[in-house]
Amino acid sequence: AQTVTQSQPEMSVQEAETVTLSCTYDTSENNYYLFWYKQPPSRQMILVIRQEAYKQQNATENRFSVNFQKAAKSFSLKISDSQLGDTAMYFCALVSGTYKYIFGTGTRLKVLA
Amino acid sequence: DAGITQSPRHKVTETGTPVTLRCHQTENHRYMYWYRQDPGHGLRLIHYSYGVKDTDKGEVSDGYSVSRSKTEDFLLTLESATSSQTSVYFCAISNTGATYEQYFGPGTRLTVT
C-alpha cells in the first residue's frame, strides 16, 4: 500500500523568512509523481509544485522549491521569502499509474507579520 | 482555472435522509474523484471514476455510492446520511497524459444533524 506522511501538524514562520515542510512517502512503484497542494482559508485546493520521480532535478516554482530524496522517500517543500498570503494548509500527495492519489494529513502554516 | 463546479455548496440535512452531491466538469477529463476532508485526516478518497460507467472504491467508500452516466457529471450519493458523514466533500478531475495533475472543485460543506 502507498502512504504519505506529514509529521508537522502546524508550523509558523516570520514574514520574509524561509520555511521547510516535510513529507515522507512509501510506494513500491518506480514511476510516480509527487505534489504539494496549498489550501488557503477559502478552501480552494491549489497546486503548488509537481515532481516526477524519474527526474533527479528538484522542481522549482518561483519562491517554492522541493528537496526530493528518492532513496530516502522524502519530498520536502521549501518556501522562501514567506508572505502573509502563504498562510494555508499544505498537503503532500502521491500518484502512480493507477491514478489513485494518496494525500498526507496536511501541515497548517501560519506566516507571522 | 479548470472548469469544475460542485452543487450544492452547502447543505444541512437530517440523519437518515438521502443526499446527492453533483460534480460537473467542462474539461472532458477522463478521471473524476470524490474526497472527503476532515480535520486530522487530510483528504481521503471515497470513490473515483476512470470513464463513463466505470467506477471504483476508495479507502472510505462505506455508506457512499457514485454514478457517472456522462463524461462531465459525477454524482455522489449518501443513501441514508449519518452524523459521521458530516464533512467537506471535494470533487477532482485529472486526465491521462504526462503530468498527472489533479484539479479540484470548490468543495461542498455537508452537515448531518
Side-chain angles (χ1 to χ4, degrees):
Chain A
Q2 297 179 320
T3 61
V4 174
T5 302
Q6 295 179 250
S7 59
Q8 305 155 313
E10 294 186 356
M11 297 187 71
S12 61
V13 62
Q14 289 294 136
E15 197 175 7
E17 297 294 310
T18 296
V19 64
T20 299
L21 281 57
S22 300
C23 173
T24 58
Y25 62 94
D26 191 23
T27 180
S28 58
E29 301 286 336
N30 284 323
N31 188 24
Y32 53 90
Y33 292 75
L34 294 160
F35 303 87
W36 279 98
Y37 282 89
K38 169 185 177 180
Q39 186 181 43
S42 67
R43 206 167 65 195
Q44 182 67 46
M45 292 286 286
I46 302 166
L47 177 64
V48 174
I49 200 164
R50 179 186 76 246
Q51 175 77 44
E52 295 90 335
Y54 63 86
K55 287 188 176 180
Q56 291 186 336
Q57 186 174 5
N58 290 325
T60 299
E61 288 288 342
N62 300 314
R63 297 182 296 107
F64 298 88
S65 62
V66 298
N67 183 4
F68 174 48
Q69 301 289 327
K70 190 172 183 179
K73 294 183 177 176
S74 172
F75 182 61
S76 60
L77 174 69
K78 185 172 81 171
I79 305 174
S80 303
D81 186 26
S82 297
Q83 301 174 359
L84 295 177
D86 295 333
T87 292
M89 195 78 166
Y90 287 82
F91 292 99
C92 178
L94 163 74
V95 67
S96 62
T98 62
Y99 281 88
K100 291 176 74 169
Y101 294 73
I102 307 298
F103 285 81
T105 52
T107 295
R108 186 176 302 279
L109 177 67
K110 186 171 185 178
V111 180
L112 306 172
Chain B
D1 291 342
I4 311 169
T5 56
Q6 292 183 230
S7 58
R9 295 291 311 279
H10 300 87
K11 186 171 183 66
V12 179
T13 192
E14 294 184 348
T15 298
T17 59
V19 177
T20 295
L21 308 183
R22 180 180 183 242
C23 178
H24 178 78
Q25 62 147 327
T26 58
E27 305 295 323
N28 200 36
H29 279 17
R30 176 181 175 184
Y31 294 87
M32 298 186 76
Y33 307 79
W34 278 108
Y35 294 92
R36 59 178 290 173
Q37 182 179 11
D38 305 288
H41 291 278
L43 275 77
R44 292 182 290 174
L45 182 65
I46 304 171
H47 284 280
Y48 75 107
S49 169
Y50 48 95
V52 174
K53 297 186 180 177
D54 292 323
T55 64
D56 201 357
K57 296 179 179 180
E59 61 179 308
V60 290
S61 59
D62 288 348
Y64 302 94
S65 62
V66 290
S67 65
R68 191 173 180 195
S69 58
K70 298 184 291 185
T71 298
E72 57 266 35
D73 290 325
F74 193 33
L75 304 180
L76 176 71
T77 297
L78 291 65
E79 300 290 348
S80 178
T82 67
S83 58
S84 65
Q85 294 175 312
T86 292
S87 186
V88 177
Y89 291 85
F90 283 96
C91 175
I93 64 173
S94 68
N95 213 3
T96 54
T99 66
Y100 280 78
E101 289 181 13
Q102 192 172 56
Y103 302 96
F104 286 82
T108 294
R109 180 176 294 279
L110 175 67
T111 302
V112 183
T113 61

